[in-house]
Amino acid sequence: MKLRLQITKEPGIRFISHLEYQRSIEKAIRRAGIPVAYSEGFNPHMKFSLASALSVGVTSSCEFAEIRLAEERPLADLVKALSAALPMGIHIVRADLADDKVPKLMAQAQGASYEVRVPCAADPAGQLEAFAAAPEVPYTKAHKKGKGKPKTIDVKFYIPQVSAHWQDGCLELHFDIRITPTGSMKASEFLQVLEEGFQVPLIFSQADIRRVDLYSRDGEGRKVPLIGEG
């Protein structure tokens, strides 16, 4: 049996790394006495995973975790115990229990929705129209840790459209990013594309980026929640 959770990463902890975030949850699992399963071997580790890594500085209302359980317990008891043990900035939004044979949440995620608020000196309507009209927008991603060859992707494949509202020097953006088995792109990379490739006069260093949804899709392309209501 697996305990699956939708959790938050709130502004107070936005600058901790993905690894620190994961370790914080693992410590809470131990404090809560959750009957988590461990791998076998010389160095056993907790059977716990997060569905999608979140960049440092980005907040979220929809991080997803799954915990393999060594024994079954009522969902309400597990949620109550873990909620009391989680640190500041991490809260449970919803939860469910699933069979071990259900695919991992990481494998089910096909898209993410973002909201961005960023200072912008002028209304970028013209630049955003140019992005919308472009059939392709190439972007070269540097390889992680500076090793390996850079990879050029088409931004429009991952972000086909964006909605925007500019007022009083603040630009609000709403967009979805496609997630595929071979990769995706970051919201921060998209802001760089707008700033450098389309001359949108935004102040990237002051961007407030928030992930507001992480989802799968059905056979007709409609968004499907990763887990049920808890």
Side-chain angles (χ1 to χ4, degrees):
M1 187 68 70
K2 293 191 289 189
L3 171 62
R4 307 189 303 176
L5 306 164
Q6 178 183 344
I7 55 179
T8 63
K9 184 179 182 183
E10 296 170 5
I13 58 168
R14 69 191 309 158
F15 293 112
I16 68 171
S17 70
H18 176 68
L19 184 57
E20 290 171 321
Y21 182 70
Q22 180 172 309
R23 286 174 175 168
S24 296
I25 300 168
E26 289 175 346
K27 290 177 181 178
I29 291 170
R30 295 189 185 96
R31 285 196 299 268
I34 303 297
V36 60
Y38 283 81
S39 63
E40 299 179 356
F42 181 75
N43 185 27
H45 62 274
M46 186 182 292
K47 291 188 175 181
F48 158 78
S49 63
L50 294 167
S52 180
L54 193 68
S55 300
V56 173
V58 178
T59 61
S60 176
S61 58
C62 60
E63 295 310 284
F64 287 86
E66 55 186 354
I67 305 164
R68 181 73 66 85
L69 300 175
E71 62 182 65
E72 293 188 25
R73 288 189 186 175
L75 177 61
D77 292 351
L78 294 168
V79 171
K80 181 179 180 180
L82 189 55
S83 294
L86 284 168
M88 178 197 73
I90 306 176
H91 295 95
I92 297 173
V93 177
R94 67 175 67 173
D96 72 4
L97 292 169
D99 188 88
D100 288 342
K101 296 180 181 179
V102 173
K104 289 185 177 181
L105 292 174
M106 184 180 296
Q108 295 182 54
Q110 295 184 41
S113 301
Y114 288 87
E115 294 179 353
V116 176
R117 290 176 175 81
V118 58
C120 186
D123 188 348
Q127 295 97 316
L128 293 174
E129 288 176 4
F131 172 81
E136 295 182 356
V137 177
Y139 173 73
T140 301
K141 294 167 64 84
H143 196 276
K144 290 183 179 180
K145 299 181 181 179
K147 299 179 180 179
K149 295 181 180 179
K151 179 181 179 182
T152 299
I153 63 171
D154 177 16
V155 177
K156 293 299 289 284
F157 172 78
Y158 293 103
I159 308 174
Q161 59 186 12
V162 56
S163 63
H165 175 71
W166 180 87
Q167 184 176 359
D168 298 330
C170 180
L171 176 63
E172 294 185 11
L173 300 170
H174 301 264
F175 53 88
D176 282 22
I177 300 179
R178 182 177 295 174
I179 298 172
T180 75
T182 57
S184 184
M185 70 179 298
K186 298 177 181 179
S188 58
E189 293 172 332
F190 178 53
L191 295 184
Q192 288 181 289
V193 169
L194 293 180
E195 181 182 33
E196 299 171 7
F198 291 87
Q199 290 73 55
V200 174
L202 56 82
I203 304 177
F204 174 76
S205 62
Q206 296 181 30
D208 179 8
I209 304 172
R210 183 172 182 83
R211 183 152 69 186
V212 295
D213 197 9
L214 192 66
Y215 54 85
S216 182
R217 290 189 183 275
D218 64 16
E220 298 181 4
R222 294 172 297 196
K223 294 181 180 180
V224 177
L226 287 187
I227 66 173
E229 297 289 345

